[in-house]
Amino acid sequence: QVQLVESGGGLVQAGDSLRLSCAASGRTFTSNAMGWFRQAPGKEREFVAGISWSGLSTDYADSVKGRFTISRDIPKNTVYLQMNSLKPEDTAVYYCAIKERPYVAFGASSYAYWGQGTQVTVSS
């Protein structure tokens, strides 16, 4: 059974940094793209960042470009999201997700596996 477990969320002040981790278990994902999404109260789930199966290709939402960095440790089946210069508008539940295909997609429906989410709250 596939499980994705996120960690690293918390309450921080504007300008601070957080590093989210997502560890996958149940199978290996060496040929799969991985991504991070977020959902704020009353809003739809939105794409934040994605990384290809090899780690060589990444994509970001315009709102986080230059502040967030996605990376992966393939042998550890783990994906990370380094978040710097956090803003109050980054407050949301952050979810990691894995596709069954090798390259990033921006739509949530393209991802087959999801974590339970981790709360990130940024105070002003």
Side-chain angles (χ1 to χ4, degrees):
Q1 180 179 352
V2 173
Q3 279 192 314
L4 278 63
V5 179
E6 299 105 333
S7 60
L11 171 63
V12 297
Q13 293 187 330
D16 285 351
S17 298
L18 278 176
R19 189 190 192 211
L20 305 183
S21 299
C22 173
S25 61
R27 55 171 275 196
T28 58
F29 292 100
T30 55
S31 300
N32 305 74
M34 306 176 86
W36 287 94
F37 289 75
R38 66 187 181 187
Q39 188 166 17
K43 295 188 176 181
E44 293 187 354
R45 191 169 298 190
E46 64 173 359
F47 173 85
V48 175
I51 188 165
S52 66
W53 68 279
S54 63
L56 295 179
S57 177
T58 57
D59 289 282
Y60 297 92
D62 288 343
S63 59
V64 306
K65 278 181 183 176
R67 300 188 298 122
F68 291 11
T69 302
I70 188 171
S71 61
R72 66 188 293 174
D73 186 325
I74 296 173
K76 292 185 177 180
N77 247 9
T78 300
V79 62
Y80 305 96
L81 186 66
Q82 177 67 43
M83 305 185 295
N84 298 330
S85 303
L86 282 161
K87 304 175 181 180
E89 50 264 43
D90 294 318
T91 295
V93 177
Y94 283 71
Y95 299 90
C96 69
I98 299 178
K99 286 184 65 187
E100 288 286 23
R101 304 295 294 270
Y103 295 103
V104 174
F106 298 106
S109 61
S110 297
Y111 291 76
Y113 305 101
W114 291 85
Q116 82 289 349
T118 185
Q119 177 70 46
V120 172
T121 304
V122 185
S123 64
S124 57

